[in-house]
Amino acid sequence: MATIGFIGFVFLVLALVACIYSIAAYFFSLRTHNPKLGKSARLVALAATGFFSAAVVILLFALINHNFEIKYVASYSSTTMTLPYLISALWAGNAGSLLFWGWIVSLCAAVVVIRKKKNGQELVPYATMIILAVQAFFLLLLIFTQNPFLKPETIPLEGIGLNPMLENPGMIIHPPLLLAGFAVLTVPFAFAISALITKKLDNNDWLAAARRWALLGWIALGLGNLIGAWWAYAELGWGGYWAWDPVENAGLMPWLTVTAFLHALLMQQRKGIFKTWSMALIFLTFSLTIFGTYITRSGVLESVHDYSASAAGTFLLVFLIITFVVPFGLLIYRRKDLKSRSEISILLSREGTFLINNLLLLGATLFILIGTLRPSLMKLFSGVEVSSNQSFFNITVVPVLLAIILLAGICSLIAWRRQSGKRLLRSLLWPTVAALAVVIITLAFGVRNWVALSAYFLCSFSLAAILSQWLRDVLAYKRKSSLDFISSFWRLLMANRRRYGAFIVHISIVIIAIGVVGSSLFDVEQEAELIPGDQMTINEYTLTYNSLTMEGSGEKMLFSAEVDVYKGDNFIAKMFPKVTKHSSYGYVSEVAIRSTLVEDLYLTLAGFQQVTLTEDGSQVFLVVIIAKVNPLMLWMWIGGYILLAGGLLTFWPGRKETAELAETPAQAT
């Protein structure tokens, strides 16, 4: 009798066979103009998605029902895990995460096959073949190197389970968002290659087909990166949220390049420029998703994340070379067909700022790539082993990102084509005054760090520029329509969701940057050994340690320190930093965080031991508490919510975006 694992493996094989048949059927139907063959290709492509989905359902069923006859289930689940974490075990390991990634690619293929929109319809067969080829690659990877349905040598009574640090809500959201973002970006990549193959380059069909997919991938990667930062902050106990680790960088680099692609796409639709640039950016984005996966799963680079070296590395390297060389080779071959209708004649225009913005985004990506590969390159060429240095990223990448924020504000004020210097200076006046006012206020509060002052000037300028331009648009629309302010605001927002969704996204980036600057440059840390009744101070806070309690036994022991928090003479909260002792994993911290709009108070229980008091001979627990104050930390997460709102607003445009390709009311006047 076939086991459930064998059935799951058979479904993977069937999915691979269906992919290969569908690709071949699409190819010969296009060559022979045979509609029946094309229809069978579409049906079998959908069947491939069904087979892939069945394999995923089987593994998920095995995880939920503790079927330890499957090695993956025994390695990443246990009978003590709750349902949400049993589900998250699906993407906890190499094999499961690749299965999930490939499955999302298969779902994308199904959506492309059944889509009814006229735009890009001639490209669909070619795009589907490319998506199916990517899907087939993942199936080959799973079948030959990362089979998630292998049997264990011995069937355990109890599974190993997740690393305790993975039992966090971030595990449920962060990895699937990143993996889905990577998978979704396959679609615009496929449509771009299809446009080159068919020479359908003079219209915007491939852009219209690719835009929403690229935007969906951008939203998924952006939120995935931000939730990953929150997870690191809330779980690891070090008080930070971004360490420039290779896995973190692997998620950030394609997000930066797809951001550049979305800007270039707008220029191509609006002005007929950046045609080659758009193609190159989406090809680079897809290559970076594979590259990041290769460097973090092949053992080439060390990462604090849980992915280990595997035989998949060789497959990924070969696939990376193919998906880089073939698209860019085709792009070079078709370069004469990608001439722009016009050229950028002056940088003092919105077209010019978009070009500079893209160059800055690529520059940031290049610096991150160099910093990520630096340890391997140093070892290869000099034999010297070095670790990745955060200061390199802070010196090279952060200034570029601040320049991008400044440019976002300028871009919102500047007009298409040529911008008169006098009009631009008039537009820049009030944002500059507002930014200077913020700097003066910051100085009045005692801030003397020139890096922080510069950053807050740039952020304040950009925020004021965006809001002032939005206000001018609304007032111009109000004069034209004779509606009240709120109605004018809403009508304008709904009439041009792409423009104002982008405004909201830019605002969210500024707000996140404000949180990053505050928490990075003004954080304060204190460490103290305390016995019950002892106090420690940090900034305006006084912390009183009361007691340490213990719960559980055997496999899992929870130690919780009770700390009273005072600000001045006022009691404001009880906080409970904790440590869990796992028999298999050792000690895992559970930090206590009190968040306000001004700052976070962040407590970590760094250690404890039982001691005897000399006064009366009683035994108490001495604890080591690390307290940290992170200013403006909450604004990072608020910025994430705003990012989601802006991204979704842009993703779901109205039926008629009348202002999308036209001047805004304020610019028109």
Side-chain angles (χ1 to χ4, degrees):
M1 184 176 178
T3 64
I4 188 173
F6 177 76
I7 295 171
F9 181 77
V10 168
F11 275 122
L12 290 179
V13 174
L14 289 173
L16 178 60
V17 172
C19 282
I20 294 171
Y21 171 83
S22 186
I23 292 169
Y26 266 119
F27 177 80
F28 287 109
S29 71
L30 291 168
R31 290 290 300 272
T32 62
H33 305 286
N34 187 333
K36 290 184 179 180
L37 201 55
K39 184 177 181 180
S40 73
R42 291 191 293 273
L43 291 174
V44 176
L46 294 175
T49 301
F51 293 140
F52 216 141
S53 299
V56 172
V57 169
I58 286 173
L59 184 58
L60 194 57
F61 179 82
L63 287 164
I64 293 172
N65 290 278
H66 315 298
N67 190 328
F68 300 135
E69 292 181 359
I70 297 175
K71 184 178 179 180
Y72 185 89
V73 175
S75 300
Y76 294 99
S77 71
S78 70
T79 56
T80 60
M81 287 167 54
T82 58
L83 180 61
Y85 294 114
L86 287 172
I87 294 172
S88 70
L90 178 64
W91 46 77
N94 257 332
S97 61
L98 292 171
L99 178 73
F100 182 82
W101 186 344
W103 175 55
I104 299 298
V105 172
S106 77
L107 294 178
C108 292
V111 173
V112 170
V113 167
I114 63 178
R115 67 192 295 271
K116 299 297 182 182
K117 291 186 177 181
K118 293 181 180 180
N119 287 340
Q121 197 61 39
E122 294 179 355
L123 303 176
V124 167
Y126 298 93
T128 306
M129 282 193 289
I130 295 162
I131 299 170
L132 287 170
V134 175
Q135 183 179 333
F137 164 74
F138 279 98
L139 288 165
L140 288 169
L141 205 60
L142 292 164
I143 291 169
F144 292 105
T145 70
Q146 293 292 307
N147 182 4
F149 297 105
L150 290 174
K151 287 185 177 181
E153 294 181 3
T154 58
I155 300 175
L157 296 175
E158 171 62 57
I160 296 174
L162 290 176
N163 185 315
M165 288 188 293
L166 300 182
E167 293 193 25
N168 180 283
M171 180 63 186
I172 302 170
I173 308 171
H174 164 65
L177 272 178
L178 284 183
L179 293 170
F182 292 159
V184 165
L185 290 172
T186 304
V187 181
F189 169 79
F191 272 103
I193 294 179
S194 303
L196 288 174
I197 292 172
T198 60
K199 298 182 68 174
K200 303 289 184 182
L201 301 168
D202 292 332
N203 55 41
N204 289 327
D205 280 356
W206 84 267
L207 292 175
R211 175 187 170 271
R212 287 168 67 81
W213 290 99
L215 186 56
L216 184 61
W218 179 87
I219 294 171
L221 288 181
L223 291 177
N225 283 315
L226 200 59
I227 292 171
W230 170 82
W231 184 6
Y233 179 70
E235 179 67 29
L236 298 182
W238 60 299
Y241 43 83
W242 196 268
W244 298 105
D245 182 77
V247 170
E248 295 172 343
N249 296 343
L252 180 59
M253 287 189 290
W255 184 80
L256 291 172
T257 55
V258 78
T259 302
F261 168 72
L262 289 168
H263 285 82
L265 179 149
L266 178 60
M267 288 296 97
Q268 184 170 339
Q269 289 181 319
R270 177 68 168 79
K271 304 290 289 181
I273 58 177
F274 290 2
K275 289 184 177 181
T276 303
W277 196 239
S278 297
M279 289 280 184
L281 285 170
I282 197 59
F283 293 160
L284 179 61
T285 298
F286 183 79
S287 294
L288 285 172
T289 66
I290 306 301
F291 173 77
T293 307
Y294 166 70
I295 63 173
T296 55
R297 297 172 193 256
S298 62
V300 173
L301 293 175
E302 293 184 2
S303 168
V304 299
H305 292 72
D306 210 21
Y307 293 122
S308 56
S310 70
T314 302
F315 278 70
L316 286 165
L317 180 59
V318 172
F319 187 63
L320 172 63
I321 293 170
I322 293 171
T323 55
F324 185 85
V325 172
V326 172
F328 278 99
L330 187 57
L331 180 61
I332 294 170
Y333 180 71
R334 296 288 196 207
R335 65 188 183 280
K336 293 181 180 179
D337 300 312
L338 287 165
K339 291 183 179 179
S340 299
R341 294 199 308 261
S342 60
E343 296 180 355
I344 298 175
S345 58
I346 185 170
L347 288 179
L348 196 59
S349 64
R350 188 169 298 180
E351 299 94 314
T353 59
F354 271 58
L355 175 60
I356 297 171
N357 172 77
N358 274 11
L359 293 174
L360 289 172
L361 286 166
L362 282 182
T365 304
L366 179 61
F367 284 133
I368 294 171
L369 181 63
I370 292 171
T372 303
L373 294 177
R374 181 170 169 264
S376 292
L377 294 175
M378 290 290 291
K379 185 176 181 180
L380 178 64
F381 292 108
S382 66
V384 178
E385 292 193 11
V386 297
S387 59
S388 183
N389 192 341
Q390 289 194 36
S391 63
F392 171 84
F393 296 101
N394 294 335
I395 292 170
T396 58
V397 180
V398 172
V400 177
L401 296 180
L402 286 173
I404 292 170
I405 289 173
L406 172 65
L407 203 61
I410 294 173
C411 183
S412 65
L413 298 172
I414 204 165
W416 298 105
R417 299 176 295 276
R418 184 180 296 274
Q419 172 81 50
S420 69
K422 184 177 180 181
R423 182 178 177 182
L424 179 60
L425 288 174
R426 189 166 63 247
S427 299
L428 295 175
L429 176 61
W430 288 113
T432 304
V433 170
L436 288 172
V438 168
V439 170
I440 292 170
I441 293 170
T442 307
L443 284 167
F445 277 95
V447 176
R448 296 295 182 269
N449 186 311
W450 70 269
V451 176
L453 292 172
S454 301
Y456 282 137
F457 175 85
L458 297 176
C459 290
S460 301
F461 171 86
S462 186
L463 184 60
I466 295 167
L467 293 176
S468 65
Q469 181 58 52
W470 201 342
L471 178 62
R472 279 195 291 270
D473 290 351
V474 174
L475 292 176
Y477 189 87
K478 180 176 178 293
R479 288 193 298 270
K480 182 180 178 181
S481 64
S482 300
L483 296 172
D484 61 83
F485 184 86
I486 300 298
S487 298
S488 298
F489 174 85
W490 183 253
R491 289 276 187 91
L492 193 61
L493 181 67
M494 292 298 102
N496 195 347
R497 298 184 188 185
R498 184 182 295 193
R499 173 177 170 82
Y500 297 109
F503 274 18
I504 293 171
V505 167
H506 291 161
I507 290 170
S508 74
I509 299 298
V510 172
I511 290 173
I512 291 171
I514 290 171
V516 169
V517 172
S519 59
S520 300
L521 296 181
F522 300 109
D523 58 317
V524 178
E525 183 177 310
Q526 295 285 349
E527 180 177 336
E529 293 184 349
L530 307 172
I531 60 173
D534 281 354
Q535 294 182 333
M536 65 181 293
T537 59
I538 180 168
N539 283 11
E540 299 176 352
Y541 297 102
T542 301
L543 312 178
T544 302
Y545 164 55
N546 295 326
S547 62
L548 183 76
T549 59
M550 297 179 291
E551 299 177 16
S553 61
E555 292 291 318
K556 187 176 180 180
M557 288 282 293
L558 176 66
F559 300 87
S560 178
E562 180 184 296
V563 179
D564 289 340
V565 181
Y566 294 84
K567 198 167 188 178
D569 295 328
N570 299 319
F571 172 79
I572 58 173
K574 279 186 180 291
M575 297 180 67
F576 298 90
K578 302 173 184 178
V579 166
T580 303
K581 182 183 179 183
H582 298 265
S583 59
S584 302
Y585 291 95
Y587 292 93
V588 177
S589 293
E590 297 180 33
V591 300
I593 304 172
R594 182 181 182 272
S595 294
T596 69
L597 293 176
V598 176
E599 61 194 9
D600 278 11
L601 178 60
Y602 185 101
L603 303 185
T604 304
L605 178 58
F608 58 88
Q609 62 177 333
Q610 202 166 32
V611 297
T612 302
L613 297 179
T614 56
E615 294 85 355
D616 55 11
S618 61
Q619 289 191 324
V620 297
F621 276 103
L622 177 147
V623 298
V624 178
I625 298 290
I626 299 177
K628 198 168 185 181
V629 175
N630 293 319
L632 304 178
M633 192 70 211
L634 188 59
W635 289 100
M636 280 189 62
W637 321 132
I638 292 173
Y641 287 112
I642 299 173
L643 178 74
L644 176 61
L648 291 178
L649 183 67
T650 308
F651 182 74
W652 276 297
R655 287 178 296 179
K656 293 181 67 177
E657 292 201 55
T658 55
E660 178 180 280
L661 301 178
E663 303 290 353
T664 63
Q667 291 170 324
T669 56

